[in-house]
Amino acid sequence: MTCTVLVTGATSGIGRATAARFAAEQAQVFITGRHADTVESTAKELGVHGIVCDATDPGAVAALAARLDGLGSDGNSGSHGKPGSLDVLVNAAGGLPGAQPEGVSPLEAVHAEWQTNLNQNLLGAVLTTTALRDRLAPGSAVISIGSIGAERRGGSYGAAKAALAAWNAALSAELGPHGVTCNVISPGYIEDTNFFHGGLAAERRTALIEETHNKRPGTVADIAETAYFLAGANARHITGQTLHVNGGAYTTR
Ligand SMILES: NC(=O)c1ccc[n+]([C@@H]2O[C@H](COP(=O)([O-])OP(=O)(O)OC[C@H]3O[C@@H](n4cnc5c(N)ncnc54)[C@H](OP(=O)(O)O)[C@@H]3O)[C@@H](O)[C@H]2O)c1
């Protein structure tokens, strides 16, 4: 039977590499993004199914859940045999906010920045997982992409990612008895993504690499391989955790 995987935010960067990793193992993979053109082109390039969905929009997420029932070459029955069932959910959608509104008061600007970060980096994963949790049978995995920013100097972005890790721990306690694992992968600096909107200064990049122990940037493959491991049969006793993948830039001791 086919393993069914949904990766949100998979038109570029970490999500795209993760979708490609599962697709390479003949999984039935669904990807999302907010823009029809990039969703369609990425799905075609990877040989997966694309669905346009803004993870922060409850109506769009509900529609995504409904569409999973009808898509896929085998009717998307997942390895558990139920229509619309999922084996792996990867919440990768997120990132830094783009341009913020102009001509607003300082307090309104702070409100907009925090609201956007909480929506993008916390609520999107919460909404998507809530909409799909009943489709996760024993043996399934929920993997959410956090950030090293949750551990230090993260501001509104880091606070949202820290909340994501706190939510994940509670989710793990809820779904663990049903045989579902729930983990956060917390990357350090990862190259070949659109995360910095093309605006990472050379000095900042050098500093981010310098603070690692292995003196290299992270790659999207570093994260995709970690997600693939967490979804596998050898990781069933790992749940409720935040796995730091950062070359030693942040250590837990
Ligand atoms: N790159 C790093 O150094 C780094 C480090 C730590 C953590 N992270 C985290 O890694 C995750 C993936 O980011 P990335 O680095 O791979 O950046 P990226 O290349 O910008 O990828 C982000 C992906 O998410 C999609 N997306 C954004 N908001 C979305 C939404 N509301 N609903 C659905 N899709 C959405 C984007 O497509 P559209 O814009 O077309 O929707 C894109 O496909 C993020 O959660 C980010 O916070 C990245």
Short mmCIF file of all heavy atoms in Angstrom, two decimals, residues 9-14 33-35 38 53-56 92-95 120-121 145-147 157 161 187-190 193-195, ligand 1:
data_model
loop_
_atom_site.label_atom_id
_atom_site.label_comp_id
_atom_site.label_asym_id
_atom_site.label_seq_id
_atom_site.Cartn_x
_atom_site.Cartn_y
_atom_site.Cartn_z
N GLY A 9 3.58 24.26 2.55
CA GLY A 9 4.67 25.18 2.24
C GLY A 9 5.81 24.50 1.51
O GLY A 9 6.96 24.54 1.94
N ALA A 10 5.49 23.87 0.39
CA ALA A 10 6.49 23.02 -0.27
C ALA A 10 6.80 23.48 -1.70
O ALA A 10 7.26 22.68 -2.51
CB ALA A 10 6.03 21.57 -0.27
N THR A 11 6.59 24.76 -1.99
CA THR A 11 6.96 25.23 -3.33
C THR A 11 8.40 25.68 -3.39
O THR A 11 8.92 25.98 -4.47
CB THR A 11 6.04 26.39 -3.79
OG1 THR A 11 6.17 27.47 -2.85
CG2 THR A 11 4.59 25.95 -3.87
N SER A 12 9.08 25.74 -2.25
CA SER A 12 10.51 26.08 -2.25
C SER A 12 11.14 25.58 -0.95
O SER A 12 10.45 25.09 -0.06
CB SER A 12 10.72 27.60 -2.39
OG SER A 12 10.21 28.28 -1.26
N GLY A 13 12.46 25.70 -0.89
CA GLY A 13 13.20 25.48 0.35
C GLY A 13 13.00 24.12 1.01
O GLY A 13 13.02 23.07 0.36
N ILE A 14 12.83 24.17 2.32
CA ILE A 14 12.78 22.96 3.15
C ILE A 14 11.58 22.09 2.79
O ILE A 14 11.71 20.85 2.68
CB ILE A 14 12.73 23.38 4.64
CG1 ILE A 14 14.09 23.96 5.06
CG2 ILE A 14 12.32 22.21 5.53
CD1 ILE A 14 14.09 24.66 6.41
N GLY A 33 0.98 25.50 -1.09
CA GLY A 33 1.57 26.83 -1.11
C GLY A 33 0.42 27.78 -1.36
O GLY A 33 -0.70 27.34 -1.63
N ARG A 34 0.72 29.08 -1.31
CA ARG A 34 -0.38 30.05 -1.43
C ARG A 34 -0.65 30.48 -2.85
O ARG A 34 -1.65 31.16 -3.10
CB ARG A 34 -0.08 31.28 -0.57
CG ARG A 34 -0.13 31.03 0.91
CD ARG A 34 0.42 32.18 1.70
NE ARG A 34 1.85 32.38 1.42
CZ ARG A 34 2.61 33.31 2.00
NH1 ARG A 34 2.08 34.12 2.89
NH2 ARG A 34 3.88 33.40 1.70
N HIS A 35 0.24 30.13 -3.79
CA HIS A 35 0.12 30.66 -5.14
C HIS A 35 -0.03 29.54 -6.17
O HIS A 35 0.82 28.63 -6.22
CB HIS A 35 1.31 31.54 -5.46
CG HIS A 35 1.48 32.66 -4.48
ND1 HIS A 35 2.42 32.64 -3.47
CD2 HIS A 35 0.79 33.82 -4.32
CE1 HIS A 35 2.30 33.74 -2.74
NE2 HIS A 35 1.32 34.48 -3.23
N THR A 38 3.10 28.62 -8.63
CA THR A 38 4.24 27.88 -8.06
C THR A 38 3.82 26.50 -7.54
O THR A 38 4.59 25.54 -7.62
CB THR A 38 4.93 28.68 -6.94
OG1 THR A 38 3.94 29.16 -6.03
CG2 THR A 38 5.73 29.83 -7.51
N CYS A 53 -3.32 26.32 -0.88
CA CYS A 53 -3.91 26.48 0.46
C CYS A 53 -3.04 27.39 1.31
O CYS A 53 -1.85 27.13 1.48
CB CYS A 53 -4.04 25.11 1.14
SG CYS A 53 -4.71 25.21 2.82
N ASP A 54 -3.65 28.45 1.81
CA ASP A 54 -2.99 29.29 2.81
C ASP A 54 -3.25 28.67 4.17
O ASP A 54 -4.39 28.62 4.64
CB ASP A 54 -3.56 30.72 2.73
CG ASP A 54 -2.87 31.67 3.72
OD1 ASP A 54 -2.24 31.18 4.68
OD2 ASP A 54 -2.99 32.89 3.52
N ALA A 55 -2.18 28.19 4.80
CA ALA A 55 -2.33 27.45 6.06
C ALA A 55 -2.90 28.30 7.18
O ALA A 55 -3.37 27.75 8.19
CB ALA A 55 -0.98 26.88 6.48
N THR A 56 -2.89 29.62 7.02
CA THR A 56 -3.40 30.50 8.09
C THR A 56 -4.89 30.78 7.93
O THR A 56 -5.47 31.49 8.76
CB THR A 56 -2.63 31.83 8.12
OG1 THR A 56 -2.96 32.59 6.94
CG2 THR A 56 -1.14 31.61 8.18
N ALA A 92 5.54 22.63 7.14
CA ALA A 92 6.74 23.42 6.81
C ALA A 92 6.41 24.87 6.48
O ALA A 92 7.29 25.72 6.48
CB ALA A 92 7.48 22.79 5.61
N ALA A 93 5.14 25.16 6.17
CA ALA A 93 4.76 26.54 5.82
C ALA A 93 5.13 27.47 6.96
O ALA A 93 4.87 27.17 8.12
CB ALA A 93 3.26 26.61 5.54
N GLY A 94 5.71 28.60 6.62
CA GLY A 94 6.08 29.57 7.65
C GLY A 94 7.19 30.46 7.14
O GLY A 94 7.51 30.45 5.95
N GLY A 95 7.77 31.23 8.03
CA GLY A 95 8.87 32.08 7.65
C GLY A 95 8.69 33.50 8.17
O GLY A 95 7.76 33.79 8.92
N GLN A 120 1.67 32.87 10.76
CA GLN A 120 2.53 32.13 9.83
C GLN A 120 3.24 30.95 10.49
O GLN A 120 3.40 29.89 9.89
CB GLN A 120 3.59 33.07 9.24
CG GLN A 120 3.12 33.91 8.09
CD GLN A 120 2.95 33.06 6.84
OE1 GLN A 120 1.92 32.43 6.65
NE2 GLN A 120 3.95 33.03 5.99
N ASN A 121 3.71 31.15 11.71
CA ASN A 121 4.64 30.19 12.30
C ASN A 121 4.07 29.36 13.44
O ASN A 121 4.74 28.50 13.99
CB ASN A 121 5.90 30.94 12.77
CG ASN A 121 6.63 31.53 11.59
OD1 ASN A 121 7.12 30.79 10.74
ND2 ASN A 121 6.69 32.85 11.51
N ILE A 145 8.05 22.30 11.41
CA ILE A 145 9.36 22.95 11.29
C ILE A 145 9.42 24.19 12.18
O ILE A 145 8.69 25.16 11.97
CB ILE A 145 9.68 23.32 9.82
CG1 ILE A 145 9.52 22.10 8.90
CG2 ILE A 145 11.10 23.90 9.73
CD1 ILE A 145 10.41 20.91 9.22
N GLY A 146 10.26 24.11 13.20
CA GLY A 146 10.46 25.23 14.12
C GLY A 146 11.62 26.08 13.69
O GLY A 146 11.86 26.26 12.49
N SER A 147 12.39 26.57 14.66
CA SER A 147 13.56 27.39 14.31
C SER A 147 14.47 27.57 15.51
O SER A 147 14.02 27.65 16.66
CB SER A 147 13.13 28.78 13.83
OG SER A 147 14.25 29.62 13.67
N TYR A 157 9.14 36.39 15.71
CA TYR A 157 9.30 35.13 14.97
C TYR A 157 9.71 34.01 15.93
O TYR A 157 9.13 32.92 15.94
CB TYR A 157 10.35 35.31 13.87
CG TYR A 157 10.78 34.05 13.17
CD1 TYR A 157 9.94 33.43 12.24
CD2 TYR A 157 12.02 33.47 13.42
CE1 TYR A 157 10.32 32.26 11.59
CE2 TYR A 157 12.42 32.31 12.78
CZ TYR A 157 11.57 31.71 11.87
OH TYR A 157 11.96 30.56 11.23
N LYS A 161 7.76 30.50 17.08
CA LYS A 161 8.35 29.16 16.94
C LYS A 161 8.48 28.47 18.31
O LYS A 161 8.35 27.23 18.40
CB LYS A 161 9.71 29.25 16.25
CG LYS A 161 9.66 29.67 14.77
CD LYS A 161 8.95 28.64 13.90
CE LYS A 161 9.24 28.87 12.41
NZ LYS A 161 8.47 27.98 11.54
N PRO A 187 15.56 23.96 12.68
CA PRO A 187 16.77 24.20 11.89
C PRO A 187 17.52 25.45 12.35
O PRO A 187 16.92 26.41 12.83
CB PRO A 187 16.24 24.42 10.46
CG PRO A 187 14.78 24.08 10.49
CD PRO A 187 14.34 24.29 11.90
N GLY A 188 18.85 25.41 12.14
CA GLY A 188 19.64 26.64 12.18
C GLY A 188 19.58 27.28 10.79
O GLY A 188 18.61 27.07 10.05
N TYR A 189 20.61 28.01 10.44
CA TYR A 189 20.63 28.66 9.12
C TYR A 189 20.69 27.61 8.02
O TYR A 189 21.58 26.76 8.00
CB TYR A 189 21.82 29.61 9.02
CG TYR A 189 22.10 30.08 7.62
CD1 TYR A 189 21.09 30.66 6.85
CD2 TYR A 189 23.37 29.94 7.05
CE1 TYR A 189 21.33 31.08 5.54
CE2 TYR A 189 23.62 30.36 5.76
CZ TYR A 189 22.59 30.92 5.01
OH TYR A 189 22.84 31.32 3.73
N ILE A 190 19.72 27.68 7.09
CA ILE A 190 19.63 26.73 5.98
C ILE A 190 19.75 27.50 4.66
O ILE A 190 19.01 28.49 4.44
CB ILE A 190 18.27 25.98 6.00
CG1 ILE A 190 18.04 25.27 7.34
CG2 ILE A 190 18.19 25.00 4.82
CD1 ILE A 190 18.98 24.13 7.64
N THR A 193 17.00 28.55 0.32
CA THR A 193 15.58 28.77 0.59
C THR A 193 15.26 30.23 0.27
O THR A 193 16.16 31.05 0.06
CB THR A 193 15.24 28.52 2.08
OG1 THR A 193 15.72 29.63 2.85
CG2 THR A 193 15.85 27.24 2.60
N ASN A 194 13.97 30.55 0.29
CA ASN A 194 13.55 31.95 0.10
C ASN A 194 13.30 32.64 1.43
O ASN A 194 12.67 33.70 1.48
CB ASN A 194 12.27 32.00 -0.75
CG ASN A 194 12.54 31.55 -2.17
OD1 ASN A 194 13.65 31.70 -2.69
ND2 ASN A 194 11.53 30.97 -2.82
N PHE A 195 13.78 32.03 2.49
CA PHE A 195 13.48 32.49 3.85
C PHE A 195 13.84 33.97 4.05
O PHE A 195 13.09 34.71 4.68
CB PHE A 195 14.24 31.62 4.85
CG PHE A 195 14.00 31.98 6.29
CD1 PHE A 195 12.83 31.62 6.92
CD2 PHE A 195 14.95 32.69 7.02
CE1 PHE A 195 12.60 31.96 8.26
CE2 PHE A 195 14.73 33.02 8.35
CZ PHE A 195 13.57 32.65 8.97
N1 LIG B 1 15.80 28.86 5.84
C1 LIG B 1 16.20 28.92 7.10
O1 LIG B 1 17.34 29.30 7.39
C2 LIG B 1 15.23 28.47 8.20
C3 LIG B 1 15.75 28.36 9.50
C4 LIG B 1 14.91 27.97 10.53
C5 LIG B 1 13.59 27.67 10.26
N2 LIG B 1 13.10 27.80 9.00
C6 LIG B 1 11.68 27.44 8.78
O2 LIG B 1 11.60 26.50 7.75
C7 LIG B 1 10.29 26.54 7.19
C8 LIG B 1 10.40 26.52 5.67
O3 LIG B 1 10.99 27.75 5.27
P1 LIG B 1 12.11 27.84 4.15
O4 LIG B 1 13.36 28.25 4.81
O5 LIG B 1 12.11 26.62 3.32
O6 LIG B 1 11.60 29.11 3.34
P2 LIG B 1 10.93 29.25 1.89
O7 LIG B 1 11.87 28.80 0.85
O8 LIG B 1 10.46 30.68 1.86
O9 LIG B 1 9.68 28.27 1.91
C9 LIG B 1 8.47 28.60 2.53
C10 LIG B 1 7.37 27.84 1.85
O10 LIG B 1 6.15 28.00 2.58
C11 LIG B 1 5.14 28.51 1.71
N3 LIG B 1 4.26 29.29 2.57
C12 LIG B 1 4.56 30.40 3.29
N4 LIG B 1 3.50 30.78 3.99
C13 LIG B 1 2.51 29.90 3.74
C14 LIG B 1 1.17 29.77 4.15
N5 LIG B 1 0.62 30.64 5.01
N6 LIG B 1 0.44 28.74 3.69
C15 LIG B 1 0.97 27.84 2.81
N7 LIG B 1 2.23 27.93 2.37
C16 LIG B 1 2.99 28.95 2.83
C17 LIG B 1 5.90 29.28 0.64
O11 LIG B 1 5.18 29.40 -0.58
P3 LIG B 1 4.24 30.67 -0.89
O12 LIG B 1 4.95 31.88 -0.39
O13 LIG B 1 4.06 30.65 -2.36
O14 LIG B 1 2.98 30.41 -0.15
C18 LIG B 1 7.07 28.30 0.44
O15 LIG B 1 6.66 27.20 -0.33
C19 LIG B 1 9.60 27.78 7.76
O16 LIG B 1 8.70 27.37 8.77
C20 LIG B 1 10.76 28.56 8.36
O17 LIG B 1 10.34 29.37 9.44
C21 LIG B 1 13.89 28.18 7.96
#
